[in-house]
Amino acid sequence: MTADLESTARALVAGGKGILAADETPGTLTRRLDALKIVSTPDSRRDYREMFFTTTGIAEFISGVIMQDETIRQKSSTGIALADLLAQQGILPGIKVDNGAKPLAGTPGENITEGLDGLRERLKEYRGTGARFAKWRAVIAVSDTLPSATCVNVNAHALARYAVLCQEQAIVPIVEPEVLMDGSHGIERCEEVTANVLHAVFNALFEQKVYLEGMLLKPNMVISGIKCERQASVEEVAAATVRCLSRHVPAGVPGIVFLSGGQNHLVATAHISAINQLEEPRPWTLSFSYGRALQDEALRAWRGKSENLKAGQRAFYHRAKCDSAAALGKYTESMESEPAAA
Ligand code: 13P
């Protein structure tokens, strides 16, 4: 069992590949579709996902896809279960299993991610539908006074409860503690909070006997708050991110896949590239598990119209190719003007 978990975790980050996070809830995806006046229905959401999943050649850059409950139960327009459609291309199907961040009683402005009740049974069912890995996202807000120690500790505890339940069911857990980039704090404050959060998370994972070689970490990058007057450079972000991870992530973890968290797609690619061009030795593979940064250009090209399907797929192929090159430290800005092949 542990050998299988480890080989799946390693496969998810091998060869410069990364993970597509396509696990927006119907509510979140509806907001994104509404913004482009695309009607959101189970079928239009399926068509949107299918555009990504059927992009020719995408398995060269994408190792796994995180789906949401609605998606993993859907069939493609040609009648194939979407999880099988991915598996047929050698892409590992994954599933978001948390039930979202809910207000944390007693600490105004903070959230606790829910979804532990009945999780063992849900994981068994998802494993049966083909899921090989899972995701649980904790969100940590930053201000002069937040996060509270309570918020950090209860979220770390829940992440560890989730992770060990996944491993019991032969599912690789992606452990995602996201320190939000909303706010006017500087990069130094982001580093301080990220360090505290990672410390608490790995302490909880250790206490609850999570097998580190059979998991992936999905953290934020260490970055300036979105409203901060001084935005740290790409090089500063890369250096601070790798320093923080080196201090707090054990070498047993095979891979770290960053979230994009609202960064522009070009900036998100530049950051992965700069992180992988740093010369210090590091024990884990550093790649991406982007949602918005991988999808945004494709969504704008598609706009819900079947005649734009190929344009959407070209945009996705191009972005995935750039991010994969960045994960190998081989990205150059000139790649942005190369024609996409998909
Ligand atoms: P973003 O890359 O859009 O932040 O999404 C990644 C993710 O999975 C958030 O939970």
Side-chain angles (χ1 to χ4, degrees), residues 191-210:
E191 183 167 357
E192 177 185 38
V193 173
T194 303
N196 281 326
V197 168
L198 291 175
H199 181 73
V201 167
F202 280 98
N203 201 35
L205 295 173
F206 174 75
E207 281 178 351
Q208 296 188 45
K209 300 189 168 49
V210 173

Side-chain angles (χ1 to χ4, degrees), residues 22 56 66-67 109 130 137 166 183 320 342:
T56 307
I66 314 173
M67 288 177 280
R137 171 177 177 251
C166 284

Side-chain angles (χ1 to χ4, degrees), residues 107-111 139-149 151-152 178-194 196-197 223-228:
T107 64
E110 302 200 286
N111 289 302
V139 285
I140 309 289
V142 182
S143 73
D144 290 346
T145 52
L146 300 183
S148 67
C151 174
V152 172
E178 177 174 1
V179 175
L180 296 172
M181 58 192 278
D182 303 329
S184 53
H185 55 277
I187 186 170
E188 299 79 9
R189 176 85 177 123
C190 179
E191 183 167 357
E192 177 185 38
V193 173
T194 303
N196 281 326
V197 168
I223 203 166
S224 316
I226 205 158
K227 292 198 201 119
C228 180

Side-chain angles (χ1 to χ4, degrees), residues 21 23 135 137 176 218 259-261 289-292:
D23 59 325
K135 165 187 137 172
R137 171 177 177 251
E176 182 179 357
K218 178 164 171 168
L259 57 91
S260 62
S289 173
Y290 289 162
R292 286 160 286 181

Side-chain angles (χ1 to χ4, degrees), residues 4 122 329:
D4 284 353
R122 288 196 290 129

Side-chain angles (χ1 to χ4, degrees), residues 18-21 66 135 174 218 257-260 287-291 294:
I19 297 169
L20 169 66
I66 314 173
K135 165 187 137 172
I174 295 187
K218 178 164 171 168
V257 287
F258 293 99
L259 57 91
S260 62
S287 190
F288 57 93
S289 173
Y290 289 162
L294 270 171

